[in-house]
Amino acid sequence: MKKILIGYKGIFLLPRLLSEGITESFLNDVKSIIDNHKEMIYNHFSDCHVDFIFSSYENEELEKFYTNHLKPISYSNIPSSNCTTSATWNPQLLHHKNLISEIKEQGDYDLFIITRPDIKFLRNFDTFNIDESKFNIVVEHNGHTKNCDDNFWVFPREHLQSYESCIDIMIGQGKTTHEINHELNRLNVPINYLTEYLCTMEIGQDIFSTYKYGWEKFVWTKENPPTAPWGMISDE
């Protein structure tokens, strides 16, 4: 039986959590995203062995909620001192390091999915054009840097070491997770982009959306022009 490990990094809607705290409305939204991930992602692996791991920030209520619903085999936190803003890059890299440590403790898996707990998938995993022999990234950005999306990565066991090497390089050189595609290229790791950059979509692709964008598809109009970080001018 194929073994799948799904790793979640970060915490659900950090700015909202910091301002609102754990409320019934907040937990209802957390549950709605779990249901979405189950429908769009987990169900694809119904004939596989699937485990979950988390790298988050300390929050007992949220940890208990995920433990009850997903029963992760590992749930660890990075120091809450890193929990200043969801846009800082160092905590993102620390989450990846934390996930890598957890992965090493859990044994062999055939496929790894690294994502975050606050994105809503807009279509099913079956439609993603996944190549399980490559490092799958949603999209290459349209800006001058040609960076990439960092919210959903899928890769086989053979690329696990390269994943770790890229994270270490980016930490050492002060880079961001959006630059992993450049490091993968330097290591000759084959990349599969799940979609071409879609200039009609607010975040350049139609695979997922975020709470920031109302969890819905956004189409650019004259009244709603493209903006950084996903716009035509810059992807930083």
Side-chain angles (χ1 to χ4, degrees), residues 151-216:
N151 295 292
F152 183 73
W153 298 338
V154 181
F155 56 90
R157 176 171 41 198
E158 64 189 276
H159 299 321
L160 178 59
Q161 182 57 56
S162 295
Y163 164 55
E164 180 177 10
S165 296
C166 288
I167 297 301
D168 287 339
I169 290 169
M170 291 187 290
I171 290 175
Q173 298 182 6
K175 295 183 177 181
T176 76
T177 47
H178 286 296
E179 298 176 84
I180 193 172
N181 55 336
H182 305 303
E183 301 308 323
L184 289 168
N185 284 330
R186 291 187 182 97
L187 295 176
N188 296 315
V189 176
I191 298 174
N192 177 47
Y193 292 108
L194 305 186
T195 182
E196 294 184 357
Y197 192 90
L198 303 177
C199 292
T200 57
M201 301 299 295
E202 178 73 14
I203 53 178
Q205 46 80 24
D206 63 354
I207 288 178
F208 69 84
S209 189
T210 69
Y211 183 82
K212 177 181 178 181
Y213 297 104
W215 282 334
E216 301 296 338

Side-chain angles (χ1 to χ4, degrees), residues 5-39:
L5 188 65
I6 299 177
Y8 283 105
K9 62 183 180 71
I11 200 165
F12 190 88
L13 302 181
L14 176 58
R16 179 179 166 189
L17 177 61
L18 292 175
S19 63
E20 180 181 318
I22 299 292
T23 64
E24 182 178 356
S25 173
F26 185 90
L27 290 179
N28 285 339
D29 282 342
V30 175
K31 180 59 166 56
S32 74
I33 292 301
I34 291 177
D35 292 341
N36 169 263
H37 287 201
K38 180 178 180 180
E39 177 185 359

